[in-house]
Structure formats: C-alpha cells, structure tokens
Amino acid sequence: MEKLFTAGPVSLDEEVMKALSRPVMSHRGSEFRAILKDVEDKLCEAYGTEYGMVDVLMGSGTLAVDAMVYSSVNRGDRVLVINHGEFGQRFKQSLERRCAVINELKADEGNAVDAEHVLAEIDKEDYDALAMVYTETSMGLAYRDAERIGRRAKEKGIRVLVDAASAMFGEDIKLDGGYFDAVSTCSQKCAAAPPGISFVGLSEEACRFVYGVGEKPRYLDLAIYADSMRKGYDVPQTPAVNLVYALDKALDIMLDTGMEKWIEKHRQLTGKLYAELPKLGYRILVANEAYRSNSVAAFRVPEGLSSDQVIERVGKEGYVLSQGMGSLKSSVVRIGTMGTINMDDVDRFIGILKDMNGWQGKE
Ligand SMILES: Cc1ncc(COP(=O)(O)O)c(C=O)c1O
C-alpha cells in the first residue's frame, strides 16, 4: 500500500482504520453523544484550552475557515490580512465574499511578513479583525510571529482569526495563550485522522462574540455548534458518524503520545529533510530557518528536473508527495511528515532521491 508523504490527507494508523468500520449508530442516542463529548474534551486538551471551546464541523478545512469568517466578521468590518501564499489568498477571498474591507500585508516568496511592520500597522489603524494562516501549507512557512502579533491585536480589541490547518498539533499553539480568538484546523493533517471533519477553537471571548455576528448561513454559524455542545451534544445536522469514531481514536493516539512528543516527532522528521535534501540539490523554499514548518517542508527541485519527475520516481517506491501550488507547481515538491510517516520512511525517501539519475554527483 502506498504511503502518503503529502501535505494532507495522511496515512492512518490501523486502529484508526478499524474504528471507521464500526457499525453506524444513531447520532441522537446517548452512546453517540458520549463519544462526541469525549471528542470535545480531547480536542480542548489538544488545543490547550480550559476557558474556550472547540466547535466540530462536518466538512473540510475550507468550511472551518468560512465558518470562522462568517461567525467573527460582520459585513463592512475592517480586516488586516497577512498573506504568505495560496491559503492566505483563499482566506482573503473568503473575507472579500463576506464584504469585509481588507488591507493586505505580503512578503516576497518564501519570506515572512515583517512582524514589526504588522505591529506598527495594528497600532496605527483601527481594525475589527486580523486574519492569518499559521502554517502556509503552499510554502512550508510557519508564521511563528503569530502569537506576538495576536497578543498586540487582542490588546487593541481586534478579533484574531487563525487558519492553522497544517499547523495545529504540529506546532506549539495554545488557544488560551491570549493571542488568538478563533483557530481552525482539519482532521486530515497533524491530527492524523481521515479527511472530512474540521474544527474551530474559540477563545473565551469568541465563545461570546459569535452570537453577536449576524447574517450568516446556518452551516457556518459557530454559535449553533457551540449551543448544541452546551445542550448535551445534540448536534444540529447529521454528523459523519464513522469519521467521528475514527477521529476519536486518532485523538487518543495523539494524546497518549503526549502533545510535546507529538509536536517533536513532526519537528524531527522535517528537520532531517531540511538537513539532507539541500545536499542533494533541493533548495528549501523558506530561507530563514526560524519560519520552517514542522509538518510540511517545501523544496525547489534541482535544475533539470520537474516536480512531476520526482513525484513519479518516488511514487514507484510507494511514496506519494505533493506538488507545489500555483506558479510553483512544476518546480516545487511539498513533503508532509504527518500521519504514520516515521524516521525509517524519511531515511528511505532520502535514499530514493540519492539514487535518482542525473545529480548523484552533487552531494
Ligand atoms: C492552511 C490551509 N488552509 C486551508 C486548507 C483547506 O483545507 P481543506 O482542503 O481540508 O478544505 C488547507 C489544506 O491544505 C490548508 O493547508
């Protein structure tokens, strides 16, 4: 069976696969409600929150981003967007559809937006919200200034929205830190569960303010999900019951490992890639190592090769990689170290690259 070295979805533990095939049960029964409560408790632990909550949505990470936007931002609100690539762009588009008034800060490809510049902008202007992607999955860039920026924004009463799809549970992010209000992620990344479920962690304040935002589609209304959890896990729509079983198991595996160890595992796996691939002619897209993601590493392929060629060759050995996105499609490969990927896989993968024709001499 092939193994996914992609930026998500990820290969699953056998126990998680087994959980998927348990019989379907009624989502209105007490047994399923108890499972949902367990899932909520585990997610709160993993999100590092005692005072907030985590809304569980049936849909992918894009749904969670839209739900954050529609439940936190009113039409006409002024929003500062920090944009590092494809997913920053999509976040901005979601806000545009919400008719927010946007000011965008960008950096050159592979660089982080200067935090001092962002702080000055926050101090200078009146914004209602700030939106940023924690790990820009298209670049492998983890914006580790997000907490510092989020804290300053919150001090000014600005709502801080974070798309942490590939960052949450792979970076040390805590919802109760006083930096963020809404943090979204999805099941198929560092949680190592099947795709199809997403989450929005809400700070203590966000648990209140989502009730005051109007004109939002029902499926995107985080207040409805929060209410349903408070009212005994009586969910508003039919959930993907079997995905919830699998998620429950995946969260057990993560929490039994311990969050620190779990994050460290991702850091070590990408760390090995960052150390070894440049020796083979692959250039790390993010020049400054302080901003290199723990969970998704992006590399420019050596001259004379295309990402398709690398992906095809590695695929013959049973590993699946992700291509670059947008204009980087043919020149970049992205490698996720989530799910069941371990150090043996990383070593084997590096060995395959070494064996590829045409550039062995570059070592
Ligand atoms: C940062 C980020 N945001 C949003 C998404 C969209 O998630 P999904 O494909 O689950 O809708 C992704 C997916 O890779 C992502 O990496």
Side-chain angles (χ1 to χ4, degrees):
M1 198 167 57
E2 58 186 21
K3 208 156 179 191
L4 299 177
F5 250 124
T6 61
V10 301
S11 296
L12 304 176
D13 188 281
E14 264 179 39
E15 291 295 312
V16 176
M17 299 279 286
K18 259 197 241 157
L20 267 178
S21 59
R22 283 175 52 197
V24 179
M25 63 173 77
S26 163
H27 62 291
R28 300 279 172 225
S30 57
E31 196 180 350
F32 189 73
R33 288 179 189 218
I35 295 173
L36 266 185
K37 180 181 180 331
D38 255 13
V39 165
E40 167 68 4
D41 289 348
K42 289 168 196 169
L43 281 171
C44 281
E45 184 179 343
Y47 259 81
T49 185
E50 267 184 64
Y51 305 108
M53 67 191 306
V54 183
D55 279 2
V56 178
L57 314 182
M58 297 298 141
S60 75
T62 306
L63 173 76
V65 172
D66 275 347
M68 262 196 317
V69 165
Y70 280 78
S71 297
S72 315
V73 175
N74 286 291
R75 281 165 189 270
D77 275 359
R78 297 194 60 200
V79 183
L80 181 63
V81 177
I82 303 174
N83 181 352
H84 288 113
E86 178 66 26
F87 291 102
Q89 189 66 13
R90 293 188 193 182
F91 206 166
K92 187 182 95 173
Q93 285 164 353
S94 177
L95 285 154
E96 281 168 351
R97 286 167 188 238
R98 181 53 164 160
C99 302
V101 179
I102 290 163
N103 183 18
E104 180 186 21
L105 298 178
K106 279 175 131 173
D108 294 339
E109 190 176 281
N111 287 313
V113 173
D114 180 2
E116 295 308 321
H117 183 46
V118 181
L119 294 174
E121 181 64 27
I122 290 170
D123 289 343
K124 183 166 63 102
E125 297 291 334
D126 276 336
Y127 288 103
D128 299 292
L130 180 139
M132 54 190 159
V133 175
Y134 198 104
T135 291
E136 175 50 70
T137 319
S138 63
M139 307 298 294
L141 187 147
Y143 196 45
R144 299 202 175 94
D145 298 317
E147 280 86 352
R148 191 152 68 97
I149 289 167
R151 185 186 296 281
R152 177 78 66 89
K154 271 177 70 69
E155 279 165 6
K156 278 203 71 185
I158 297 169
R159 297 173 175 180
V160 181
L161 317 187
V162 181
D163 171 359
S166 60
M168 202 70 208
F169 319 135
E171 303 282 338
D172 186 15
I173 299 171
K174 300 238 178 338
L175 185 56
D176 276 358
Y179 335 105
F180 307 141
D181 283 306
V183 181
S184 67
T185 187
C186 39
S187 52
Q188 80 275 18
K189 309 267 188 192
C190 298
I197 302 189
S198 55
F199 325 111
V200 182
L202 297 174
S203 69
E204 198 178 0
E205 301 87 80
C207 286
R208 288 192 292 271
F209 72 56
V210 291
Y211 287 89
V213 178
E215 299 175 282
K216 46 195 191 267
R218 186 184 164 78
Y219 213 71
L220 302 181
D221 187 348
L222 292 175
I224 292 182
Y225 296 97
D227 265 351
S228 86
M229 274 191 261
R230 288 187 175 119
K231 292 177 186 155
Y233 299 87
D234 189 11
V235 287
Q237 296 91 221
T238 312
V241 169
N242 296 56
L243 291 182
V244 175
Y245 302 152
L247 171 65
D248 191 28
K249 183 41 91 183
L251 292 175
D252 280 342
I253 293 172
M254 181 168 77
L255 291 171
D256 288 349
T257 304
M259 291 312 296
E260 249 177 61
K261 253 180 143 178
W262 190 260
I263 293 166
E264 186 54 28
K265 176 187 80 162
H266 292 86
R267 191 181 356 252
Q268 283 186 8
L269 296 173
T270 46
K272 183 85 180 253
L273 295 171
Y274 291 134
E276 295 301 319
L277 264 59
K279 296 181 196 162
L280 305 175
Y282 288 75
R283 188 160 64 74
I284 305 167
L285 225 53
V286 178
N288 184 340
E289 61 183 290
Y291 296 99
R292 289 178 190 158
S293 155
N294 290 341
S295 50
V296 181
F299 299 90
R300 217 172 261 287
V301 299
E303 221 161 289
L305 278 178
S306 73
S307 61
D308 281 331
Q309 287 171 304
V310 176
I311 287 169
E312 194 187 328
R313 175 70 185 82
V314 172
K316 287 191 179 132
E317 308 288 334
Y319 289 120
V320 184
L321 309 181
S322 294
Q323 276 191 309
M325 296 182 83
S327 62
L328 302 177
K329 191 170 164 48
S330 60
S331 58
V332 165
V333 286
R334 294 176 303 136
I335 306 165
T337 55
M338 303 168 282
T340 56
I341 294 292
N342 57 36
M343 202 51 98
D344 287 345
D345 291 314
V346 169
D347 288 339
R348 227 187 112 214
F349 168 69
I350 291 168
I352 298 165
L353 295 188
K354 279 184 181 166
D355 288 344
M356 276 185 71
N357 285 343
W359 45 277
Q360 296 95 317
K362 287 184 184 158
E363 246 187 288

